[in-house]
Structures are given as C-alpha cells and as structure tokens.
Amino acid sequence: MSTTTSEGHRERPGRIMAGEVAEQPAVLRRILAEGAPRIRATAAAIAEREPRFVLLTARGTSDNAALYAKYLLEIRLGLPCGLTSMSTTTAYGAKPNLTDVLVITVSQSGGSPDLVASTRAAREAGAITLAVTNNPDSPLAAVSEYHVDVLAGPEKALPATKTYTASLLSLYLLVEGLRGGDGGPAHVLPGLAEEILARGDEVRRLAARYRFAGRMVITSRGYGYPTAKEAALKLMETSYIPALSYSGADLLHGPLAMVDNVSPVIAVVTDGRGGEALQPVLDRLRGRGADLFVVGPKSQVEAASAGFVLPTEGVAEEVQPILEILPLQLLAYEVTIARGQDPDAPRALAKVTETR
C-alpha cells in the first residue's frame, strides 16, 4: 500500500514513520536543552511533598514507558510502585485512599477518556497527580496538578516512535530530579542515537531474514524488559506478526516450551545487571537451537544467530533502553516494508484510542 500526494505521485510507504524515527536524536537534544530545567523544577516540587508510593497509569506504548519508570523509581529511589488498573475506578467506581500517593499518567496525546477519568478520580482521592504527555493543552494535562511536556513535536504516523523515547528520557530526568541528580548520564544519548540510526542498511539486511516469520518471541530482563514489550507492540501493529514479549524469568516458567528453531527469538541484552540476569535464559535458548537475534553488547551478538551491536560501553544501564529500542523500531519498519505493507497506517488503529 502506498500513499498518494495531491499531484498523484506515489510515495514510499512508511515515509512518515521513517521521518519520525530519524527525528529522535534532535528530540533528545531538545529535551536535554529545553525540557530538563522544567522537569527538575517539577521534580523538586513533588519531592517536597514526600510521596509514600507511586502509581503509574498508561495504555499501549505509554504503558511500556510507564513500566520503565517503575524500574527507575524502585531501583533509583526505593519507592514502591504499581501499575494502575484503571477499570477499578472508571468501571467499578472504587474510591481508594491515595493520600500522599504520586500518580503519574503517561499519554502521548493526553486525550484518552479513561486516562483522564482515572487521573481525575485519583486527584479527588488525594493523590499528587502528574501528567507526562506530548500535548500540554490536553484534557489530561488540565486535570493533573503537575505536567511534563516531552517535547517530541507532532507525531503523525500511527506507530509511536519519537514520543516513546521522548517519554523515556523525560521520565528518567524526572526520577533523577526526585533524587536530586542532574541526569548527567543522559547527555551521551543524542550522539549515540545518531550512530545507531545511521546503520539502517544493516537493519534492512536483518529484516530480510525475518520477513516471513509467522511468530516472534521477544525477551529481556531488568531495564530492558520494557524495550522487549515495546518492540513486540511495534512489530504487531506494523507488520501484523504475532510477537510475544516475556521477562526472561517468565519465559523459563512454561513459554520456553514453544521455542523452536523456526520462530525467531529477539533478546534485548542490557549491558549491566539486567544482561547478567538474562544470561541463563540465553544459554537455554541456544541449547534449544533457537534462531536467536540479540540486541546488545558485541560479545552477546557474536554468540547469537544474528544481532545488532549497541554502542553501550560505558553508558549507564538505566538509560540504555532509550538506545535499545531504536534498532527495533527500524526492524519493525523494515519488516513491514518487506511484507508489502504501510507502517504509517496500520489497519484498525487510531492515534487517540477512545477507551473508557
């Protein structure tokens, strides 16, 4: 499927998604230069109120960003965190006591009715509410006490790419602000993101290997687990390939039985403790003869069937997910193009999902 301009010329499918993927280094620079001071100020105001617990509310791609924030908050701050079940308030009318609880709602558009309703209910229940969106004029921002603008700029392709990495970086800076840090490890990200995105030809060759896949399994541990979930979502919504994401620990508890030498397994190997925890899983996958595709350090890629080496040496583990997802966005894009589909406009999807 191709798009057609007003002049009738046919354009390459995926043009919009490709352009937004390419924007990500500039978006990361914008957040560090323009957004970071405001995020630090917001974090300082919230820290003064000493929240006792954090609840994270989101859907879809933003839910994967929220899961990343959960790892950050629990590891970097020692704050217990949970992921909200919105239907408890929106469908069942539950009224929890959220006094001194920080409720962070992550949404690209800030327009989904269930997110707005859940956040409003949380504020009425005594919560400290923070919206993290790409739209400061959204209904979600309006009902929240605090707001962080991820500064990604308009995103027109249905698959979210630049808003995802912008949300990750903004959430990282927020957590660093809550703990009094300056987010210094993040300053290497724009340059490294450019290096990764310049290797599109490498990903295109890899995509040719997987264009006929009937199913994929994506796995990781620690900070890399949200990346695995987001990569699975991108593959499903663009190429329509069923992609199942598992924590490496959960993969060993049953789903490993479905792994064979036909369906590819993508392993996101963070350079750090998460990658170390995933090592026994990688050993089991290799032992089963899996077609193992690794995104991670060179040593791990060399031991796999195929892969993409990430330039993560010396990069703090907690910011590596912002780099890990980039080759997987490219992979979803290239596999979709190779299958003759248009990643800009997946069937049955809309940019703002009207769940209630």
Side-chain angles (χ1 to χ4, degrees):
M1 183 170 70
S2 297
T3 56
T4 304
T5 67
S6 58
E7 292 81 13
H9 297 296
R10 300 182 72 79
E11 298 177 345
R12 187 173 190 251
R15 175 182 56 85
I16 301 172
M17 180 181 175
E20 291 173 350
V21 168
E23 287 179 41
Q24 289 176 103
V27 171
L28 298 176
R29 287 192 175 93
R30 186 184 310 134
I31 295 168
L32 291 170
E34 301 174 21
R38 293 193 290 270
I39 294 172
R40 279 196 296 271
T42 299
I46 292 171
E48 286 182 0
R49 298 174 65 174
E50 299 182 342
R52 61 184 173 88
F53 190 87
V54 181
L55 285 174
L56 294 145
T57 306
R59 296 281 193 204
T61 284
S62 294
D63 197 36
N64 299 327
L67 180 59
Y68 168 70
K70 184 176 188 292
Y71 276 89
L72 286 172
L73 287 157
E74 291 183 344
I75 295 169
R76 306 286 288 171
L77 288 181
L79 270 177
C81 298
L83 298 175
T84 303
S85 299
M86 279 175 277
S87 62
T88 60
T89 54
T90 60
Y92 291 93
K95 297 186 181 300
N97 178 4
L98 298 179
T99 304
D100 298 327
V101 173
L102 173 60
V103 173
I104 302 174
T105 306
V106 187
S107 172
Q108 300 150 42
S109 69
S112 295
D114 58 345
L115 295 172
V116 175
S118 177
T119 302
R120 182 184 293 112
R123 190 168 183 179
E124 291 171 353
I128 306 162
T129 53
L130 167 67
V132 178
T133 81
N134 194 39
N135 183 1
D137 299 319
S138 63
L140 179 60
V143 301
S144 300
E145 188 175 358
Y146 299 99
H147 178 256
V148 167
D149 184 354
V150 303
L151 299 175
E155 189 172 58
K156 297 179 180 179
L158 287 178
T161 53
K162 63 179 182 174
T163 53
Y164 179 69
T165 50
S167 296
L168 295 192
L169 179 53
S170 298
L171 288 163
Y172 169 74
L173 293 172
L174 174 75
V175 173
E176 285 301 287
L178 290 171
R179 65 191 293 269
D182 63 0
H187 288 279
V188 301
L189 296 174
L192 293 175
E194 284 181 334
E195 289 182 26
I196 291 169
L197 294 176
R199 294 161 60 191
D201 288 346
E202 184 179 337
V203 176
R204 193 171 300 115
R205 290 191 294 271
L206 291 165
R209 179 186 179 101
Y210 299 117
R211 63 178 294 190
F212 297 115
R215 180 188 68 205
M216 289 188 180
V217 174
I218 300 103
T219 188
S220 189
R221 291 203 68 180
Y223 285 115
Y225 180 42
T227 308
K229 291 176 68 66
E230 175 61 10
L233 178 59
K234 282 294 152 289
L235 284 161
M236 287 189 288
E237 69 184 356
T238 56
S239 70
Y240 317 141
I241 295 174
L244 309 174
S245 59
Y246 295 98
S247 157
D250 288 334
L251 185 62
L252 296 182
H253 285 266
L256 184 68
M258 70 176 174
V259 173
D260 53 30
N261 62 355
V262 176
S263 299
V265 178
I266 299 175
V268 180
V269 186
T270 304
D271 192 358
R273 294 186 183 183
E276 293 168 6
L278 189 64
Q279 192 59 53
V281 182
L282 299 175
D283 294 340
R284 291 284 297 275
L285 289 169
R286 283 190 286 264
R288 290 186 61 82
D291 181 356
L292 181 61
F293 176 109
V294 166
V295 175
K298 183 178 181 180
S299 60
Q300 295 291 346
V301 171
E302 288 176 341
S305 306
F308 187 98
V309 176
L310 287 174
T312 52
E313 184 176 354
V315 177
E317 183 178 359
E318 58 268 22
V319 299
Q320 290 180 34
I322 299 167
L323 302 176
E324 290 167 349
I325 192 58
L326 300 178
L328 294 167
Q329 290 174 345
L330 291 174
L331 182 69
Y333 169 84
E334 293 293 352
V335 167
T336 304
I337 294 295
R339 289 164 68 95
Q341 293 150 202
D342 185 358
D344 282 345
R347 62 194 182 204
L349 295 183
K351 196 62 177 170
V352 179
T353 304
E354 298 285 339
T355 45
R356 296 183 183 274

